[in-house]
Amino acid sequence: MNSPRIVPPGSAPGDAAPLRAGEFARLMAPAGPFEPAPHLAVAVSGGPDSLALSLLAASWARRRKGRVTALTVEHRLRAESAAEARQAGRWLKTHGISHRILPWRGEKPASGVQAAAREARLRHLADWCVRHRVLHLLTAHQMEDQAATVLLRLSAGSGGDGLAAMPLVQDLRAPDGAGIRLIRPLLAIPEARLKATLGNRGQAWIDDPSNRDRSYARTRLTVALDALGGEGMSVARLARAARRAGSDRAALDSACGELLSRAAAPHPAGFVTLDWACWRAAPEVVSLRALIRLLTAVGGRPFGPRLERVERLSESLRAAYPARAVTLGGCRIIPRRGALLICREPGAAEAALTLKPGERRLWDNRYRVHVPRRAEFRGACTLGRLGSDGIAALRRTMADGGRALETIPAPARPALPAFRDLDGLLAVPHLRYARSPGGDGCEAQYIGAGNRTGGVFGPVA
């Protein structure tokens, strides 16, 4: 087993100022308010950024009678990763910080390793936070990370939202659909100051060689930042541009929310009725943003469809009331009584999943579903879309002859979540149908998808 590459605290840059407790408190303030005696989770790799964040967050929490739990996702992508996780735990213990190692088991991808690792890391961290009822998860993304993200977004042709890069606070969803707050308090702090913070406390850190692997685009862009700085495109300026774009994004999000409060009528079953005339009368940039948000929520995706496709749809809808339905992003956009019905495209819904008694899961990235612990059913209980066969079965079995179906527009019915066992339909909660005793208590709560708030961005410096 390989040993971690430990960097002594004397290697910290001597010309950088350590980050002090008062300054860290000011960085945390815009992410508030926090509950009394807050319990924070901090993602820790053992590198200088996350170790410095752990020490600062622990001091911040103790002053508020709270505590910190450091979490290390042991990715097993490098031979030394297990030893690094254990070393981080030993260091944190000397500072009185609780530490947990979360192993990433299973097959690892042959390509797209960094993206897959980030996704797995967040999934494991969020799952731990939800299981332990921790609302706040802190990560140590700093100024150089933010600048590299801006360059990545520029190279991908992103618009203003993309250039806003990483927000200070962002909603994060756990595998069961529950939400936590992802907080990045160090986005305005250069890495040199975090190393100086560790040096000031006599704390060593781990050097991760993958951070210098030029096979990764982010690594190449981070290296390129030194050359770009000579042309005036410094790390600080790129990070400042991200904060300004974030401020603009927050203002647009506010206008978008105000428009949706007037024009959109969401239904608990997972579809939306949009007042076309009201939506069309809004400024184009705001109405486009509102359309993206609706397609994201109804389509069950963490991000909306490709921007150019939504722009074409928006231009068409603003030009004239549509004559026929269109599909985009897993949604159907249907003209109905002068409004627009936006509902899930049935064929795009997630495949059925099997549920055990007492289990809670997320289905179609839109519904938090639950089977009671004492549920009775024959064979396996599955949850999937209602479909045309389910609609026909309801018309035959419902006491009212299926008239309850009329409470949901016909295009939205096939994608409704439905519980089944070997005897057929168990429950369709949004139609208030339950076959006793097995279907009693089955739940499917619509929670939407995506980052509906757009995140909270720190002050522009």
Side-chain angles (χ1 to χ4, degrees):
M1 181 179 296
N2 294 9
S3 299
R5 304 183 184 188
I6 295 177
V7 180
S11 300
D15 57 348
L19 191 59
R20 304 293 183 181
E23 186 177 359
F24 183 76
R26 289 192 291 275
L27 294 172
M28 288 286 286
F34 295 89
E35 67 276 17
H39 183 182
L40 309 179
V42 180
V44 178
S45 65
D49 307 337
S50 60
L51 276 178
L53 175 61
S54 297
L55 303 186
L56 291 162
S59 297
W60 180 92
R62 286 170 188 146
R63 286 185 173 88
R64 291 156 181 81
K65 302 185 185 303
R67 59 194 173 101
V68 159
T69 300
L71 305 175
T72 300
V73 177
E74 205 275 270
H75 48 69
R76 304 182 180 183
L77 294 173
R78 291 182 288 103
E80 59 269 28
S81 64
E84 291 174 349
R86 289 193 296 271
Q87 179 62 66
R90 287 192 291 269
W91 282 332
L92 292 165
K93 185 178 181 179
T94 65
H95 294 282
I97 300 173
S98 177
H99 180 243
R100 299 288 183 273
I101 297 176
L102 312 177
W104 177 20
R105 297 186 174 92
E107 295 292 325
K108 305 301 187 293
S111 60
V113 175
Q114 277 199 327
R118 283 194 298 271
E119 181 180 342
R121 182 170 175 255
L122 279 179
R123 185 172 64 248
H124 282 72
L125 293 169
D127 182 54
W128 187 94
C129 288
V130 169
R131 285 189 288 108
H132 293 83
R133 298 184 179 181
V134 175
L135 179 59
H136 316 286
L137 169 64
L138 276 60
T139 63
H141 295 97
Q142 29 79 341
M143 184 181 286
E144 284 85 354
D145 296 324
Q146 185 75 308
T149 300
V150 173
L151 290 181
L152 278 171
R153 302 285 175 82
L154 279 171
S155 66
S158 295
D161 275 9
L163 298 184
M166 294 180 283
L168 169 66
V169 182
Q170 183 177 348
D171 294 335
L172 191 65
R173 180 168 296 162
D176 71 346
I180 63 172
R181 304 173 74 235
L182 177 65
I183 303 175
R184 306 178 181 95
L186 303 178
L187 291 175
I189 305 300
E191 185 180 48
R193 293 196 63 193
L194 300 176
K195 290 179 177 177
T197 301
L198 294 181
N200 186 61
R201 301 190 184 202
Q203 175 60 60
W205 63 86
I206 293 170
D207 174 51
D208 181 353
S210 63
N211 289 335
R212 297 187 297 277
D213 188 343
R214 298 205 178 197
S215 64
Y216 299 130
R218 181 175 287 272
T219 302
R220 294 194 298 272
L221 288 173
T222 300
V223 172
L225 284 170
D226 290 337
L228 291 171
E231 302 298 326
M233 194 180 291
S234 66
V235 167
R237 285 184 175 178
L238 286 168
R240 190 177 300 119
R243 291 197 294 277
R244 286 173 173 155
S247 179
D248 293 342
R249 173 175 165 173
L252 283 173
D253 272 340
S254 177
C256 174
E258 195 278 331
L259 171 61
L260 289 174
S261 70
R262 292 185 289 109
H267 192 281
F271 61 88
V272 176
T273 300
L274 181 65
D275 183 325
W276 172 75
C278 181
W279 171 84
R280 186 190 188 206
E284 186 173 356
V285 66
V286 178
S287 63
L288 174 65
R289 196 176 202 81
L291 185 59
I292 292 172
R293 189 178 294 188
L294 292 175
L295 294 175
T296 301
V298 176
R301 299 183 176 187
F303 303 101
R306 293 183 67 86
L307 180 59
E308 57 267 27
R309 294 181 181 178
V310 189
E311 286 175 335
R312 287 197 295 268
L313 174 61
S314 179
E315 290 171 3
S316 173
L317 293 175
R318 289 178 67 88
Y321 186 70
R324 62 182 64 86
V326 296
T327 60
L328 181 63
C331 301
R332 297 185 70 198
I333 301 93
I334 304 167
R336 187 171 184 264
R337 301 172 186 172
L340 298 176
L341 175 67
I342 303 177
C343 60
R344 188 72 162 120
E345 187 180 0
E350 184 182 340
L353 52 84
T354 301
L355 295 166
K356 300 176 183 177
E359 190 173 13
R360 296 182 184 273
R361 298 276 295 278
L362 181 68
W363 179 70
D364 201 30
N365 201 31
R366 306 192 310 142
Y367 299 95
R368 189 180 295 127
V369 299
H370 171 61
V371 176
R373 188 172 299 278
R374 297 182 180 180
E376 298 178 13
F377 42 81
R378 196 167 73 88
C381 174
T382 63
L383 185 284
R385 62 186 178 93
L386 178 61
S388 57
D389 59 333
I391 294 171
L394 285 175
R395 292 194 186 282
R396 293 192 300 269
T397 58
M398 292 179 81
D400 64 357
R403 286 192 298 275
L405 286 164
E406 305 307 317
T407 62
I408 302 291
R413 296 170 198 164
L416 291 176
F419 296 84
R420 290 177 169 89
D421 68 359
L422 289 179
D423 290 330
L425 283 174
L426 268 172
V428 185
H430 296 101
L431 295 174
R432 297 186 178 180
Y433 171 79
R435 191 189 78 215
S436 293
D440 295 332
C442 290
E443 300 175 357
Q445 179 188 6
Y446 175 67
I447 57 174
N451 178 10
R452 286 164 290 175
T453 66
V456 176
F457 293 82
V460 176

